[in-house]
Amino acid sequence: MKPKYYITTPIYYVNDQPHIGHAYTTLACDVLARFKRLDGYDVMFLTGTDEHGQKVEKAAEAAGIDPQSFTDKVSVTFREMAEVMGISNDAFIRTTEERHKRACQALWQKLLDAGDIYLGGYEGWYAVRDEAFYDEGELIPGPNGSKLAPTGAAVEWVVEPSYFFRLSAWQDRLLAYYEANPDFILPPSRRNEVLGFVKGGLKDLSVSRASFKWGVPVPNDPDHVMYVWLDALTNYITAAGYPDETAENWRFWPADLHMVGKDILRFHTVFWPAFLMSAGIAPPKRVFAHGWWLIEGEKMSKSIGNVIAPRDLVAQFGLDPVRFFLLREVPFGNDGDFQRKALISRMNVELANDLGNLAQRSLSLIAKNCAGVLPAQGALTEEDTAILAAASALPQTLRTLLDRQNFHEALEEVWKVIRAGNGFIDRQAPWSLKKTDLARMADVLRVLADVLRTVATLLQPVMPTSMAKMLDQLGVPEDARDIAALATPLPGGIALPAPAGVFPRFVEEGA
Ligand code: ME8
């Protein structure tokens, strides 16, 4: 049986149109999902939309439509974003679906049965933008003597009856879980942040709202809807079939990875495992919190007018270069600055020059000098063996790095081999060997084809379309493009299609 892998994106609020930040999170998951499939895993990759709560209710009101029609409309734009970005999600969940309401209510019942939910009253600060409660001490000064959430969101004073989750009782068990699972939270700096927060003491958490209606009704109390984060987090088990633990997809739980932005770390690493443990359900294995993108040095915001829509970016630069750039540019976990000139430079240097030229030079020499036929494997020199060994080591290196969500180094490792390939072709100069040693020329080109095959196979998760073209040109059959297939050499003598450049240089208009 194949090993399983369950990976999730956050579910996105439908108050906003999708932008590059959303695309980034979803893309990172897509690359991991594709890599795991390539490596023989049975993968479930989930994304979706978060449609309840006050923030969405207000956005619908502002748009002048009822919340259900509003969410129907905006949810579609997130499906479209997934298409535009070439995302291979297996499932898409909306929190307004019936199955999800059932799951939330079943989970609520479990928390209640466990004695972890009680009725009380909430009096304190709430930020609708963050859908989060804040303590007085966390607030920061705002304009004109006002107070703001630490995120800069506006806060309002809320007084209403509320159900609470006994989070205070979970401090020790959470700390024990972090202790026993040192890689539960990555990167390590985020783990320390959470540890500090939990060690500082936990207060009971308000988990229902009674002042509006747009949410999942609390079982047996029609005056309350569930707090949107309890509802939202539950999506990850709804999609796995909860509460039907005999459902086919339940085999995927616990999730292997919840990918999130750093803004929503606490919800996923404190509240969520506490809810699950209280309900007797295993917590997820990993939560990775990545950083935020600035745009040319500035925060992305509607008022500045610098919000980047994935569709526009892809239309201008092409899908694969955008996918590559986003994961290559910034060490995953750090904040990044999106600069147009950096994107163009990566396209021209690493894609067009390094990889594109290596492929184009090797394949056009095979086309011209070997009658377009892949040479058989020949006798290997020391240098041949060295570069082939470097390529053969890549799958294991990538497994290790990607299991820690380290895209940046994984790509650097692939590029080391590509750069070595360019050094190899320069030194071996197969174009000169044509006149002096035809047999050696063929051997050199075969080594290059093998290196390219490994590189193109492993880069498929990042650049699926371009790498499919490259593998076509290398004569790799469609059923031999996974990692396991790399162990079997291609037969010599197969006719290759005419080579064509895969990564054109990007030239600025008017340049
Ligand atoms: O928080 N850079 O949804 P949301 C990088 N519904 N990533 C960014 C970004 C930026 N500038 N801006 C947004 C919610 N993101 C909840 C989640 S999950 C059970 C519920 C990404 O629509 C990042 O992944 O506000 C962040 O966590 C997510 O969008 C927030 O999306």
Side-chain angles (χ1 to χ4, degrees):
M1 222 177 52
K2 287 178 169 188
K4 69 95 191 168
Y5 189 77
Y6 181 20
I7 180 167
T8 67
T9 74
I11 48 171
Y12 302 107
Y13 285 128
V14 290
N15 66 307
D16 207 359
Q17 293 292 318
H19 57 61
I20 196 71
H22 308 124
Y24 181 54
T25 315
T26 305
L27 168 65
C29 292
D30 185 57
V31 170
L32 295 173
R34 286 177 186 266
F35 186 81
K36 286 292 183 185
R37 291 189 200 109
L38 203 65
D39 205 15
Y41 282 70
D42 180 14
V43 171
M44 169 149 156
F45 169 18
L46 174 72
T47 187
T49 43
D50 188 352
E51 307 191 358
H52 286 132
Q54 219 172 352
K55 164 149 121 170
V56 170
E57 192 184 62
K58 286 190 171 179
E61 220 171 82
I65 34 181
D66 68 280
Q68 188 61 59
S69 316
F70 177 76
T71 57
D72 289 347
K73 217 170 94 183
V74 186
S75 180
V76 172
T77 64
F78 280 90
R79 281 183 198 267
E80 286 167 358
M81 173 190 85
E83 264 167 51
V84 165
M85 292 298 298
I87 302 303
S88 65
N89 57 299
D90 303 289
F92 189 101
I93 189 165
R94 301 182 53 191
T95 54
T96 48
E97 289 173 53
E98 267 317 306
R99 60 170 176 154
H100 179 66
K101 285 185 200 158
R102 269 200 307 278
C104 289
Q105 291 177 336
L107 182 66
W108 181 281
Q109 195 57 48
K110 288 271 188 204
L111 305 183
L112 197 66
D113 294 346
D116 275 328
I117 284 187
Y118 63 92
L119 184 60
Y122 181 77
E123 185 167 352
W125 296 105
Y126 191 76
V128 176
R129 193 182 87 188
D130 302 344
E131 295 283 20
F133 303 94
Y134 290 106
D135 283 344
E136 183 77 38
E138 292 179 279
L139 301 185
I140 56 168
N144 307 322
S146 67
K147 291 176 181 194
L148 296 176
T151 55
V155 288
E156 58 190 49
W157 186 256
V158 170
V159 181
E160 60 187 46
S162 173
Y163 285 94
F164 284 84
F165 175 75
R166 235 178 267 286
L167 188 62
S168 57
W170 285 90
Q171 179 179 9
D172 292 344
R173 282 171 284 184
L174 283 169
L175 289 172
Y177 186 71
Y178 306 148
E179 177 85 25
N181 300 277
D183 290 338
F184 170 55
I185 304 168
L186 283 183
S189 57
R190 299 287 168 205
R191 170 184 159 86
N192 292 337
E193 194 181 307
V194 173
L195 244 58
F197 173 73
V198 175
K199 282 181 180 160
L202 295 173
K203 292 209 303 203
D204 289 352
L205 178 71
S206 168
V207 285
S208 77
R209 302 290 313 271
S211 54
F212 65 95
K213 289 275 167 247
W214 186 238
V216 178
V218 165
N220 305 316
D221 193 342
D223 292 340
H224 291 255
V225 293
M226 289 182 202
Y227 173 40
V228 65
W229 270 101
L230 172 54
D231 161 349
L233 289 161
T234 303
N235 92 86
Y236 303 129
I237 53 174
T238 306
Y242 189 78
D244 178 6
E245 298 191 10
T246 62
E248 213 205 322
N249 277 346
W250 191 249
R251 71 185 194 283
F252 283 107
W253 193 262
D256 293 272
L257 175 62
H258 292 322
M259 180 71 79
V260 299
K262 64 180 183 180
D263 51 321
I264 55 175
L265 179 66
R266 203 179 279 182
F267 301 97
H268 282 83
T269 56
V270 182
F271 302 171
W272 182 226
F275 296 154
L276 288 167
M277 289 194 269
S278 168
I281 304 169
K285 294 185 193 161
R286 159 95 38 94
V287 176
F288 191 104
H290 65 67
W292 270 45
W293 284 98
L294 297 174
I295 308 298
E296 310 282 348
E298 283 193 287
K299 208 175 154 187
M300 185 163 37
S301 90
K302 276 191 208 150
S303 50
I304 300 176
N306 63 351
V307 177
I308 297 184
R311 184 184 297 281
D312 297 342
L313 200 63
V314 167
Q316 193 173 9
F317 297 102
L319 176 57
D320 283 354
V322 167
R323 289 174 60 109
F324 172 71
F325 173 75
L326 288 174
L327 294 175
R328 172 75 172 127
E329 182 69 2
V330 178
F332 200 65
N334 294 5
D335 289 335
D337 187 19
F338 186 95
Q339 294 182 357
R340 192 188 147 81
K341 70 172 186 336
L343 167 54
I344 294 171
S345 155
R346 293 261 177 216
M347 283 177 80
N348 287 344
V349 175
E350 295 187 333
L351 295 182
N353 271 5
D354 293 349
L355 176 54
N357 274 350
L358 180 63
Q360 188 61 15
R361 289 202 284 176
S362 310
L363 288 165
S364 58
L365 285 171
I366 294 177
K368 265 196 291 185
N369 299 341
C370 308
V373 166
L374 181 72
Q377 282 183 326
L380 298 177
T381 67
E382 220 171 278
E383 214 184 338
D384 299 348
T385 311
I387 191 160
L388 288 171
S392 305
L394 277 179
Q396 193 47 42
T397 306
L398 261 54
R399 275 184 197 117
T400 308
L401 290 169
L402 291 180
D403 271 339
R404 296 182 70 81
Q405 291 71 53
N406 195 339
F407 300 98
H408 175 256
E409 273 186 50
L411 286 169
E412 178 55 26
E413 290 300 320
V414 179
W415 251 258
K416 277 185 194 160
V417 172
I418 294 171
R419 288 191 292 258
N422 277 310
F424 178 81
I425 196 172
D426 288 343
R427 280 190 306 279
Q428 302 293 328
W431 43 86
S432 313
L433 289 170
K434 188 188 175 207
K435 290 161 227 148
T436 53
D437 188 346
L438 272 179
R440 177 61 193 153
M441 178 201 71
D443 289 352
V444 166
L445 292 174
R446 172 63 199 225
V447 169
L448 284 162
D450 285 343
V451 170
L452 280 166
R453 176 193 181 193
T454 301
V455 163
T457 297
L458 295 173
L459 286 177
Q460 289 177 101
V462 181
M463 300 186 284
T465 313
S466 328
M467 292 307 101
K469 279 189 203 155
M470 200 171 278
L471 291 166
D472 287 345
Q473 295 185 32
L474 287 161
V476 182
E478 275 178 28
D479 62 0
R481 295 184 177 183
D482 60 5
I483 293 179
L486 287 173
T488 312
L490 290 179
I494 48 174
L496 302 185
V502 173
F503 296 114
R505 282 184 72 79
F506 184 87
V507 182
E508 277 290 13
E509 263 175 56

